[in-house]
Amino acid sequence: MSTRDRLLAVLVAVVWGLNFLAVRVGLDHFPPFFLSALRFLVLAVPVVLFVPRPQVPVRWLLGYGMGFGAVQFGLLFLAIDTGMPSGQASVVVQASAPFTVLLGALLLREKISRRQLGGIAVAVLGMTAIAVDRARTAALLPLLLTLLAALGWALGNLASRKARPDHPLRFALWMAVVPPVPLLALSAVMEGPATGWRALAGSFDAEGWPGLVALVYIALAGSVVGSGIWTALLKRYEAGTVAPFSMLVPVVGVAAAWVALGEELTVWSLTGGAAVILGVLAGTGWTPRLSALPFPPFKGAGRRPAGHADSVRDLPNPRPEAGAEPRRGPDQSAEPTTPVQDTQRS
């Protein structure tokens, strides 16, 4: 992976990590279901007008839009609005990875390796530590809502896997067409039919502009920019090379919440968060590629071909030391030759 692409992957992780901070700011101005509906509605209108629909079965597009879109973001925004710290939410929602593995085994008959089971167990222990910590200091409902949001993400992943889209970015963009209607309906029932629209009208005044900026960031930076770069990287490299960079998302989310919002993490929550991240990495089967190491990882690995120099000292020296007689091959005479003039100068 080139240095430029590594930096792009880190940039996407930063953009996605700051999403959780933007959600917290947005929820200070909008009710949660209405904000999540607007997040997709801003994208849905231009997508329908300008982006060709991907050639996938409608049922899988609906499944992806409902799971990844409506369920995940609706419940995640509700969880943060009811007291889930945004930094901690960025960690807990990563449970979608082990959920995807388990649901793939139950619904798609996919095999689970021992390593994946071990990773899932570690992630579950991390979730348990976070739950114990929250039970001592706060209500568990926001945590349960965040876990259900992660479950919705996992269901969306299965629908995306079954769809096998020919253009993944088009598929991801057209997913935004599905969530607005059910989320607006939930907002009308749970939050009041006019509450969200009044908040939207108030976002254009002097006090409401932070909510409007947060909405634009969530819809455009997090979705279009982040997903566009991520999709391009997945086209160039294997998923196992790109996916581990997503583990920087909760790191950025926690750091941003600590700096901007003053959210403090206890030892239990830090330990549990680290366990979740390690469990996700192990559960997804990622390992460092041995070919990327600068030296063989064990004796006898990566044997050099015959005649290969083992060190710099074994390489031929094109510039002999001062005063030393230059080496001559068997066909070279002792008489000096006329040097060729160097036409390239620095």
Side-chain angles (χ1 to χ4, degrees):
M1 198 172 190
S2 67
T3 301
R4 187 200 69 166
D5 288 343
R6 285 192 180 96
L7 292 176
L8 286 174
V10 172
L11 174 63
V12 174
V14 172
V15 169
W16 284 347
L18 293 178
N19 245 344
F20 291 88
L21 179 60
V23 169
R24 178 62 273 170
V25 174
L27 288 172
D28 291 335
H29 300 269
F30 300 102
F33 289 128
F34 188 81
L35 178 60
S36 56
L38 286 182
R39 178 237 189 271
F40 291 104
L41 191 60
V42 169
L43 288 177
V45 174
V47 164
V48 171
L49 294 177
F50 302 110
V51 180
R53 193 176 74 83
Q55 299 302 312
V56 297
V58 175
R59 64 181 181 276
W60 300 127
L61 180 61
L62 292 174
Y64 186 51
M66 288 299 297
F68 181 83
V71 176
Q72 181 197 181
F73 284 92
L75 293 180
L76 180 63
F77 286 18
L78 181 62
I80 296 176
D81 188 61
T82 55
M84 187 70 179
S86 59
Q88 203 170 63
S90 68
V91 176
V92 175
V93 79
Q94 301 303 319
S96 62
F99 281 161
T100 301
V101 175
L102 290 175
L103 290 176
L106 292 174
L107 302 178
L108 304 182
R109 305 296 182 184
E110 296 177 350
K111 295 182 179 180
I112 303 180
S113 66
R114 292 181 179 178
R115 175 174 182 162
Q116 288 175 316
L117 285 174
I120 292 171
V122 173
V124 169
L125 287 176
M127 297 294 177
T128 304
I130 294 174
V132 170
D133 181 62
R134 285 199 59 84
R136 297 187 305 168
T137 59
L140 283 176
L141 179 61
L143 175 63
L144 295 177
L145 290 173
T146 308
L147 287 173
L148 289 175
L151 182 62
W153 186 356
L155 291 171
N157 287 340
L158 296 189
S160 175
R161 188 177 300 174
K162 295 292 291 184
R164 301 183 182 275
D166 52 347
H167 293 87
L169 183 56
R170 289 183 190 175
F171 182 70
L173 291 175
W174 264 85
M175 176 274 301
V177 178
V178 179
V181 172
L183 287 173
L184 285 174
L186 274 174
S187 176
V189 173
M190 304 292 293
E191 300 161 352
T195 303
W197 298 107
R198 284 197 300 266
L200 179 61
S203 64
F204 292 93
D205 59 24
E207 296 182 356
W209 67 265
L212 192 62
V213 172
L215 172 62
V216 172
Y217 183 91
I218 295 168
L220 299 183
S223 297
V224 178
V225 177
S227 298
I229 297 175
W230 194 257
T231 302
L233 292 175
L234 286 174
K235 286 183 178 179
R236 297 177 196 169
Y237 304 98
E238 296 177 355
T241 302
V242 180
F245 284 93
S246 66
M247 288 298 98
L248 294 175
V249 173
V251 176
V252 175
V254 170
W258 175 63
V259 172
L261 303 177
E263 292 183 2
E264 296 183 0
L265 294 174
T266 64
V267 175
W268 277 88
S269 59
L270 283 173
T271 304
V276 171
I277 294 174
L278 290 175
V280 169
L281 286 175
T284 52
W286 177 78
T287 54
R289 294 176 60 185
L290 298 181
S291 60
L293 297 176
F295 49 83
F298 52 87
K299 187 175 181 180
R303 296 185 181 276
R304 299 178 175 88
H308 192 283
D310 289 329
S311 67
V312 176
R313 290 177 298 179
D314 295 328
L315 294 170
N317 185 8
R319 297 183 179 179
E321 297 179 1
E325 184 179 354
R327 296 181 181 179
R328 301 185 182 92
D331 297 332
Q332 291 178 319
S333 61
E335 295 182 1
T337 58
T338 303
V340 178
Q341 184 177 3
D342 183 14
T343 59
Q344 296 180 353
R345 299 181 184 274
S346 58

